[in-house]
Amino acid sequence: MAKPTYYNLEKDKQERLIDACIEEFSTYTFSEASINRIIKRAGISRGSFYQYFEDKEDCYMEILGIIAQEKYRIFKDVVQAEAGNVFEAYLNMLRQVKIWMEAQPRYYRIGVLMELDKSNFIQKLTKQNPGMMEYFLSLIRKDQANGIIRSDVDPQLLSDMLIGINQKLLMEHFVNKDYDRMIEASEAVLDLIQKGTMVR
Amino acid sequence: MAKPTYYNLEKDKQERLIDACIEEFSTYTFSEASINRIIKRAGISRGSFYQYFEDKEDCYMEILGIIAQEKYRIFKDVVQAEAGNVFEAYLNMLRQVKIWMEAQPRYYRIGVLMELDKSNFIQKLTKQNPGMMEYFLSLIRKDQANGIIRSDVDPQLLSDMLIGINQKLLMEHFVNKDYDRMIEASEAVLDLIQKGTMVR
DNA sequence: CGCCATTATGACACCCCTGTCATATTCAAT
DNA sequence: ATTGAATATGACAGGGGTGTCATAATGGCG
């Protein structure tokens, strides 16, 4: 956790510092990120940085905390609409991600870079993510029970597919900043997965 | 290109050097790879390294050349069987990749790390890859003409899906070293894509 | 004002890296 | 055996990085 001095910082200075950190961590991997660049950008001295944070990891955790807060703020009042099936649930989720990407591209980028980092510290952080797969799995099973999805479809496989495909779409459209097209493409993908490619 | 001195090297020494390079480049990104570690492992002096190669890039290119050769050796006499459709072509390709992964996991790993590297040099190298997507696109169009795939399926989309899903499967099974399961999973995925998830 | 706690600073030690270069060694050919 | 070319070597320059620490500046408060 950041040192007391950090929390005592006057607002303006703290914001400058946070912005510099976000800029750095959304441009470089944690391993590649440079404290030198951060302090230069924030206009503070090397010594001060270490007055605020224990070290680079500490600083990173502080930023992650801020991101988590903001994420919660944006996602909390999203209609947790009872999704009719996995596919709808999926699209709901994607629309939320679109909002997130548009509102906070730098935050999203930090997430992307996290996935690319191989350092122990980051690997440990990333591992702590059970999440979404379980959610999809349960939905798929429910849909099978309701006769919406064929019962001989392997839930695990379908879930992997959904997650895998979209990782690609997300990434692709994020670099192009074409978020609307992303939703369209996803709808088409889901449609295809439901109907299959075969001529009937 | 490597310097003449490199090519004059006695076999044993050259092999030790190459092995050290492969070990390094299959463990670290090009940017993160360290000449210090390479020379230590190869048991040569720093000066010697630069007697053989212009610099790190030069060394990397030499290794890529060796990999390309080996890849060709393994892939050349694979039955370029006239695949019946995209899905068969896809599985053919995947089986080749399996052989490659098993035969040369380190080489495969170098490819993976290349994708993760953001340095200019590597980005430039990676870009020069038109490849597989075009191939899939043409096959998909052919299948549509032959009435195997519904004509209202977007070829680009299907191609993206195939490539995207498998990137995930490949990666996942590569880390688990479970190549047989990889083929099975891919077959299941392809089956699902063909038939769709809907109950008919 | 004077005093003390808090905060700010940049020089410093130490680490790792790449690429160079004068010098030493090896080796083949005369 | 001598000599000259090819090869080997590690000290060195120069750059970047992190974390520390003695010292300086600041700011409230008695």
Side-chain angles (χ1 to χ4, degrees):
Chain A
M1 232 191 38
K3 295 184 179 177
T5 320
Y6 165 78
Y7 295 107
N8 293 341
L9 236 37
E10 47 189 306
K11 215 171 179 185
D12 173 60
K13 201 171 188 177
Q14 204 191 50
E15 271 168 13
R16 241 173 35 229
L17 174 56
I18 291 176
D19 186 80
C21 292
I22 289 173
E23 192 59 32
E24 182 70 13
F25 290 132
S26 65
T27 310
Y28 300 92
T29 299
F30 171 77
S31 320
E32 293 164 351
S34 151
I35 292 172
N36 281 342
R37 277 190 298 254
I38 290 177
I39 60 178
K40 203 169 176 183
R41 183 170 233 118
I44 64 175
S45 74
R46 183 159 199 76
S48 287
F49 181 92
Y50 285 93
Q51 212 87 350
Y52 308 144
F53 304 114
E54 291 295 341
D55 49 26
K56 203 162 76 165
E57 293 188 8
D58 191 25
C59 172
Y60 196 68
M61 293 308 292
E62 183 61 29
I63 299 301
L64 286 193
I66 291 172
I67 293 180
Q69 264 184 297
E70 179 70 6
K71 211 168 183 173
Y72 176 72
R73 205 183 63 74
I74 285 198
F75 279 50
K76 76 169 187 302
D77 39 26
V78 152
V79 196
Q80 266 295 5
E82 291 296 314
N85 57 46
V86 222
F87 304 109
E88 282 178 29
Y90 187 83
L91 279 177
N92 281 345
M93 197 210 61
L94 198 66
R95 291 199 194 93
Q96 290 175 31
V97 173
K98 181 196 163 197
I99 294 173
W100 178 244
M101 281 175 159
E102 284 174 329
Q104 299 289 356
R106 290 195 303 181
Y107 291 0
Y108 185 78
R109 188 137 235 279
I110 290 179
V112 171
L113 289 175
M114 247 177 112
E115 309 249 313
L116 294 185
D117 199 297
K118 312 195 312 285
S119 72
N120 286 347
F121 168 61
I122 293 295
Q123 288 294 338
K124 236 179 269 171
L125 279 181
T126 316
K127 283 277 187 269
Q128 303 165 356
N129 164 36
M132 141 155 32
M133 201 189 65
E134 307 298 336
Y135 177 54
F136 280 155
L137 277 180
S138 69
L139 285 177
I140 292 170
R141 292 213 184 81
K142 208 185 71 191
D143 289 349
Q144 287 180 318
N146 292 342
I148 299 172
I149 292 182
R150 289 205 327 272
S151 58
D152 62 320
V153 168
D154 178 1
Q156 184 67 57
L157 195 78
L158 180 53
S159 162
D160 278 355
M161 271 178 66
L162 289 176
I163 294 174
I165 292 170
N166 251 72
Q167 208 153 23
K168 190 177 156 69
L169 284 178
L170 248 59
M171 195 60 83
E172 187 178 323
H173 292 98
F174 178 65
V175 309
N176 298 335
K177 296 194 188 312
D178 188 354
Y179 309 116
D180 291 319
R181 179 84 191 73
M182 175 181 86
I183 301 282
E184 283 171 31
S186 294
E187 282 167 349
V189 164
L190 294 187
D191 188 64
L192 186 54
I193 291 181
Q194 287 174 269
K195 295 187 190 152
T197 63
M198 280 168 48
V199 177
R200 30 210 66 214
Chain B
M1 231 190 38
K3 295 183 179 178
T5 321
Y6 166 79
Y7 295 107
N8 293 341
L9 236 36
E10 47 189 304
K11 213 171 180 183
D12 173 60
K13 200 171 188 177
Q14 203 191 51
E15 270 168 13
R16 242 174 36 230
L17 175 55
I18 291 176
D19 186 80
C21 292
I22 289 172
E23 192 59 32
E24 182 70 13
F25 289 132
S26 65
T27 309
Y28 300 92
T29 297
F30 172 76
S31 320
E32 292 164 352
S34 149
I35 292 171
N36 282 343
R37 278 190 298 256
I38 291 178
I39 61 178
K40 202 169 176 182
R41 183 169 232 120
I44 65 175
S45 75
R46 182 158 200 76
S48 286
F49 181 92
Y50 285 93
Q51 213 85 352
Y52 308 145
F53 303 114
E54 291 295 341
D55 49 26
K56 204 161 77 164
E57 293 189 7
D58 191 27
C59 172
Y60 196 69
M61 292 308 291
E62 182 62 30
I63 300 301
L64 287 193
I66 290 171
I67 293 180
Q69 263 184 299
E70 180 68 6
K71 210 167 185 174
Y72 177 74
R73 205 182 63 74
I74 285 198
F75 279 50
K76 75 169 187 301
D77 40 27
V78 153
V79 196
Q80 266 296 4
E82 291 296 315
N85 58 44
V86 222
F87 304 109
E88 283 179 28
Y90 187 83
L91 279 176
N92 281 346
M93 197 209 62
L94 199 66
R95 291 198 194 92
Q96 291 176 28
V97 173
K98 181 195 162 197
I99 295 174
W100 178 243
M101 280 174 159
E102 283 174 331
Q104 298 290 356
R106 290 196 303 181
Y107 291 0
Y108 184 78
R109 188 137 235 281
I110 290 179
V112 171
L113 289 175
M114 247 177 112
E115 309 249 315
L116 294 185
D117 200 299
K118 313 193 310 286
S119 71
N120 286 347
F121 168 61
I122 293 295
Q123 287 296 337
K124 236 180 269 172
L125 279 181
T126 315
K127 284 276 187 267
Q128 303 164 357
N129 165 34
M132 140 153 33
M133 201 190 64
E134 307 298 336
Y135 178 53
F136 280 155
L137 277 180
S138 69
L139 284 176
I140 292 170
R141 293 213 184 83
K142 207 185 75 192
D143 289 350
Q144 287 181 317
N146 292 340
I148 300 172
I149 293 181
R150 288 206 327 272
S151 58
D152 61 321
V153 168
D154 179 0
Q156 183 67 55
L157 195 78
L158 181 53
S159 162
D160 278 356
M161 273 178 65
L162 290 176
I163 294 175
I165 292 169
N166 250 74
Q167 206 152 25
K168 190 176 156 70
L169 285 177
L170 247 60
M171 196 59 84
E172 186 178 324
H173 292 98
F174 178 64
V175 308
N176 298 335
K177 294 192 188 312
D178 188 354
Y179 308 116
D180 290 321
R181 179 83 191 73
M182 175 181 86
I183 300 283
E184 282 171 32
S186 294
E187 282 167 349
V189 165
L190 293 188
D191 189 62
L192 186 54
I193 291 182
Q194 288 174 270
K195 294 187 190 151
T197 63
M198 280 168 47
V199 177
R200 33 206 70 215

